[in-house]
Amino acid sequence: MKKMLMTGAAAGALFFLAASSYAQTAASTEPQGSQATTDGQIAKEDQATEVVVTGFRKSLSAARDIKKRSVIQKDVIVAEDMAKFPELNLAESLQRLPGVQITREAGEGRRISLRGLGPDFARVQLNGMEVLGNVDSAQDSRGQRSRDRAFDFNIFASELFSKVEVEKTFQAAQNEGGMAGTVGLFTGKPFDYGPGPKAAVVAKLGTNQYTKDAQPRIAALYSYNWDNKFGATVSVAYTKRETTEQGHNTYNYSQIGKTDFSDPTHPKGKAYDLVAAGLDISHLSAAQQTRFLAGDLYFADGNRISSWDAKLERLGVTGALQWRPTENLLLTLDVLHGEVTTHRDELHLATRPIKGLGSTTLDTKAGGVWPAQFQTGSVLNDFRVDSNNYVTMTNVSNATFGSEHRRELNENRFNQAALSMKWDVSDRLLIDGHVGYEKSTYKTPYDDKLYMRAKGNLIADYGTDGQSASFQYPNTDLTNPANYAMDNFYYRAFHNGSTLQEGVLNLSYKANDVWTLRAGVAYHKFSQDGASYYYDGGDNGTTGKTRGTSVADITSVFSNSFGSWLIGDYDKAFAKYKEYHRLVPNTDGTGGVIKDIENVYKVMEATSSAFVQADWDSELFGKRFRGNVGLRGYSTDTRSTGWIQGDSYAYLGTSDVKGSYSGVLPALNTVLEMTPEVLVRFSATQNLNRPGLSSMAAQGSAFQNNTDKCDWSKPANKDNCYVSASRGNPDLKPYKDDTLDLAVEYYFDKVGLLSAGVFQKKITNFIDSLTLHDIPFSQTGVPVGAVPGANANTNVTDFSMPINVSGSKTLTGVELAAQSQLSFLPAPFDKLGILANYTYVDTPPALTGISKTSYNATVYYETKTWGARASMSHRSIWYTGHNSSVMSADTRGFQGSTYVDAAAFYNVTPRLQLTLDAINLTNQKDTQFWGQSEYLYNQNQSGTTYMVGLSYKF
């Protein structure tokens, strides 16, 4: 593939040079579509006549025209008007484009997957500069605080943006990275709006069927343009809303295990141990008792009903200054501030045995300080098993529950400043570039858990296939404090932050009417660091003074759609036990030193790059033929420092490891216009994707086993010193892809578009774990002092770290798209319009985070006075992990889903508009699964949100 691409690029360049000799003397002056997201490169499409967007149909037309002019494969969404993006959320807008799939949380779009690759492979730029976003998820199972390269579109309100572009193919003039594609976000500029003042205000008020709160959403934009000599624009967007996700979930499973002996007096296995310790199975039939005691059953852990409730405030502020000191020089300063503050309460009622099997419904006698009702084991009345030995139903009396109230505060902050320059040195020479800085931080000052225990009856039924959930609590009052006892508090905190510094300088020289030569250099410096702090009930000293005590004076009743139960009240509980959020010993002397501090590492990357590219606009066999061919070279230095930890997360030292890589990426993009309406696109490119941050992190572990026999001072005993170590690998090379892309597009009328495309990516440099045996400490990158008595020549028995593996993986995709205004229909149906797309991606199992099929459809009706549209988005089942074992929870993913949203407007006057939005009309279930049989892991719903609003243009 690489040879094909290089040969094709070289041959193509020679062919195009020859073709130019008989090209038209005066090539078409239509803008050729160099990319607006290309590091400040002057975009010829930006020189086109301004399109005044006044409605959804007009925005489709403007976006279509940008796509048509572009040389690379690109899809675009344009704002309907000032502060009026087509959807409330940028991710939800992007899902309307072929090849784009999104994840949602609490009904709102969050991250995107693009063209067969997950969120970590899609790069996002803001006003030409790469954008970083550190955010959180409500749920652990969705990677709650993942430190990665993915961008979360929940950070910014959509009203702040005027345009979004998705570049699906690569060109040399674009910074390397984002192997799936590059998403460009653009805020409004004063010169976009014409001379004089322009302003708009949008105010909306909404509610959700579950939260029933008032949800204000306000945006305002003001711009003044002094005759295109100087201009200033400022916009502000504020949102306040409550969200909830509620439903059933598990913690995967626990297996009894035939060889899990916890009691030597019952050598037949764990099942016998449980019965001996107090689990009552006498109500089972003889056959069921035999089946249970066989010790090969898998029981669902957790059996939990949950509610993830949040109060969210989001503020975004953008500013832009433009100055044209001379007719041929333009300076633009863009600044953006975004912040999201979330107060979240997680409320769970789950099975949580004290001395039973995992977190299943099976418990024994508690012993210790627990009240009398906890001193009797559970009674297993009935159960049902499938062909995989998974227990899909249990009927248990006197089960032990845990009521968990988790409260947390999350603070996300983002700041960016970028100064760009465009200088028309002459009619032929153009220079542009930018310098910028941004910082993104994510902090959780507190993330606390208040645990209580309870006793009651439970019938947990997951259906015969294990893929649904229904819980019943017969003859149990879960709102009675007498059935509960206090357990303890768990205190946590987190933080991480990213910084980016970037500088770009590009030159463009128009050699003649056919050829434009471009070159540029760029510098990109990125760093990220953070830490996670865990202070559990044992270490913080709360277990000793709280466990087993009454909860009568510290609780309240919580209810959601799935049940009612008691939860702990922090204010009351803190007052009663003289507690507070802390990561140090209590002022009353209880609690020891925090031991569990994790994810302590810093990753740094510095990249210098340069490109050369030739753009042409000529003829081939009498047809307009345009494109570009070029090379981009890069050199990246990496460095990571991280803690090495041992037993109980003890700090053993800091690892400091450096790495580097470099290369050259060829790119060829062509557009052949068979007619002015029919375009054929072909691209052959290489790109890269930098390794995941967790793989590069130098953090790791070191353990010395057989400590009772090991003695480093005695040569005869050194062989008894078994040492194991691991760490991340900052010297990892980036993923590489060779991509071929072919598309045919037909443009008709003012809005119409039909397109069909195929693409193939051959990906190398995949990352896996390697274990080396019997190597000296000096070769591990782990500090020698991590193991007492060791030196540089000490033998490390087992050492593991991530490495790049040989071989390649190929994905192939098909994209189909259509949009049309149905003006050929008789009135009043001639105001109808449709847009739809379908994507199929064939990927190997190692590539996760993508659905094989997805499709989107929007039907709209629009007049000068009113309009409405409804959108449906579907994606099929998708995986986040695979394992060859049938019952392994490492196989996991999400079931397919279909979301339906709607919007309508009415123009009261030419300046005043009334709007109505409905999000998640069908209250779609979000379902996670585990195992090859797709057993239910987590299923929740977030309700439908409705919003009414007014917008006014000045």
Side-chain angles (χ1 to χ4, degrees), residues 441-455:
T441 59
Y442 171 83
K443 296 180 180 180
T444 302
Y446 62 81
D447 181 348
D448 300 334
K449 297 182 179 182
L450 191 165
Y451 284 110
M452 303 188 304
R453 304 286 184 136
K455 280 289 188 177

Side-chain angles (χ1 to χ4, degrees), residues 146-379:
S146 300
R147 289 167 65 177
D148 54 28
R149 299 183 187 274
F151 178 75
D152 195 310
F153 288 87
N154 188 48
I155 295 180
F156 304 124
S158 61
E159 290 90 347
L160 297 174
F161 298 91
S162 60
K163 182 175 62 174
V164 173
E165 296 184 350
V166 178
E167 297 185 354
K168 296 180 177 179
T169 56
F170 179 66
Q171 63 172 346
Q174 173 64 286
N175 277 358
E176 72 285 346
M179 202 162 68
T182 295
V183 179
L185 310 178
F186 299 88
T187 57
K189 309 293 188 294
F191 290 176
D192 294 341
Y193 302 119
K198 297 289 188 300
V201 175
V202 178
K204 297 183 178 182
L205 185 64
T207 191
N208 178 275
Q209 72 177 89
Y210 288 156
T211 61
K212 296 181 175 60
D213 64 315
Q215 301 184 0
R217 185 182 180 102
I218 303 169
L221 184 148
Y222 180 80
S223 179
Y224 201 100
N225 180 346
W226 285 270
D227 298 322
N228 287 331
K229 297 296 184 181
F230 186 80
T233 297
V234 62
S235 63
V236 180
Y238 173 79
T239 302
K240 183 177 182 179
R241 62 189 294 244
E242 293 185 21
T243 66
T244 184
E245 295 180 86
Q246 48 188 257
H248 301 90
N249 53 96
T250 72
Y251 313 148
N252 304 323
Y253 66 85
S254 285
Q255 186 180 18
I256 290 181
K258 294 181 179 180
T259 59
D260 187 0
F261 302 111
S262 62
D263 185 345
T265 62
H266 296 280
K268 293 184 178 181
K270 181 68 173 179
Y272 285 85
D273 296 346
L274 291 170
V275 173
L279 175 65
D280 186 353
I281 63 171
S282 64
H283 291 211
L284 300 175
S285 68
Q288 285 181 312
Q289 292 186 39
T290 301
R291 186 74 183 85
F292 176 80
L293 294 172
D296 59 355
L297 299 178
Y298 299 83
F299 287 84
D301 266 338
N303 303 287
R304 190 167 75 166
I305 53 175
S306 299
S307 194
W308 290 268
D309 299 344
K311 295 180 179 179
L312 177 146
E313 286 189 80
R314 177 172 54 209
L315 174 66
V317 181
T318 73
L321 296 176
Q322 288 188 297
W323 181 35
R324 200 185 301 274
T326 63
E327 287 300 320
N328 63 340
L329 178 62
L330 174 63
L331 301 175
T332 303
L333 175 64
D334 285 298
V335 295
L336 188 146
H337 170 75
E339 58 181 68
V340 181
T341 301
T342 306
H343 292 266
R344 182 176 294 125
D345 288 277
E346 294 186 29
L347 306 159
H348 308 289
L349 181 70
T351 54
R352 190 70 64 86
I354 297 173
K355 289 188 177 181
L357 175 65
S359 292
T360 68
T361 54
L362 310 178
D363 202 2
T364 62
K365 300 176 182 179
V369 299
W370 295 102
Q373 69 266 34
F374 292 87
Q375 302 303 332
T376 304
S378 302
V379 180

Side-chain angles (χ1 to χ4, degrees), residues 723-779:
V723 177
S724 61
S726 67
R727 65 164 173 83
N729 184 6
D731 200 28
L732 286 170
K733 302 303 182 281
Y735 298 89
K736 278 278 195 72
D737 78 316
D738 298 330
T739 296
L740 299 175
D741 193 289
L742 177 66
V744 179
E745 300 164 357
Y746 171 50
Y747 296 84
F748 57 95
D749 297 331
K750 295 182 179 180
V751 174
L753 169 65
L754 294 174
S755 69
V758 294
F759 60 90
Q760 185 177 83
K761 290 180 180 288
K762 183 179 180 182
I763 304 172
T764 57
N765 283 355
F766 267 80
I767 296 172
D768 204 349
S769 181
L770 172 70
T771 300
L772 300 175
H773 305 286
D774 300 320
I775 64 171
F777 235 120
S778 59
Q779 296 182 16

Side-chain angles (χ1 to χ4, degrees), residues 686-834:
Q686 281 189 348
N687 201 356
L688 60 81
N689 209 89
R690 293 187 165 85
L693 298 178
S694 59
S695 298
M696 294 177 60
Q699 69 170 353
S701 62
F703 299 95
Q704 175 184 309
N705 301 314
N706 299 333
T707 54
D708 55 332
K709 299 178 180 179
C710 171
D711 189 343
W712 295 102
S713 64
K714 298 179 181 179
N717 288 349
K718 282 188 177 181
D719 290 340
N720 294 324
C721 300
Y722 177 93
V723 177
S724 61
S726 67
R727 65 164 173 83
N729 184 6
D731 200 28
L732 286 170
K733 302 303 182 281
Y735 298 89
K736 278 278 195 72
D737 78 316
D738 298 330
T739 296
L740 299 175
D741 193 289
L742 177 66
V744 179
E745 300 164 357
Y746 171 50
Y747 296 84
F748 57 95
D749 297 331
K750 295 182 179 180
V751 174
L753 169 65
L754 294 174
S755 69
V758 294
F759 60 90
Q760 185 177 83
K761 290 180 180 288
K762 183 179 180 182
I763 304 172
T764 57
N765 283 355
F766 267 80
I767 296 172
D768 204 349
S769 181
L770 172 70
T771 300
L772 300 175
H773 305 286
D774 300 320
I775 64 171
F777 235 120
S778 59
Q779 296 182 16
T780 67
V782 175
V784 174
V787 174
N791 58 48
N793 297 317
T794 296
N795 184 68
V796 176
T797 314
D798 294 314
F799 172 68
S800 62
M801 70 175 181
I803 63 164
N804 296 109
V805 296
S806 59
S808 63
K809 302 183 188 301
T810 301
L811 69 86
T812 304
V814 177
E815 293 177 355
L816 306 174
Q819 66 183 50
S820 177
Q821 178 71 31
L822 306 182
S823 55
F824 57 86
L825 294 177
F829 303 106
D830 58 337
K831 300 298 190 296
L832 277 169
I834 59 171

Side-chain angles (χ1 to χ4, degrees), residues 596-612:
D596 189 355
I597 304 176
E598 303 177 37
N599 300 315
V600 184
Y601 64 86
K602 183 174 184 177
V603 174
M604 293 160 283
E605 291 176 341
T607 298
S608 299
S609 61
F611 81 93
V612 291

Side-chain angles (χ1 to χ4, degrees), residues 94 102 119 154 245 299 321 354 458 477 528 536 619 873:
L94 285 167
I102 72 170
N154 188 48
E245 295 180 86
F299 287 84
L321 296 176
I354 297 173
L458 172 63
D477 182 3
Q528 191 198 67
D536 66 25
E619 280 192 355
S873 175

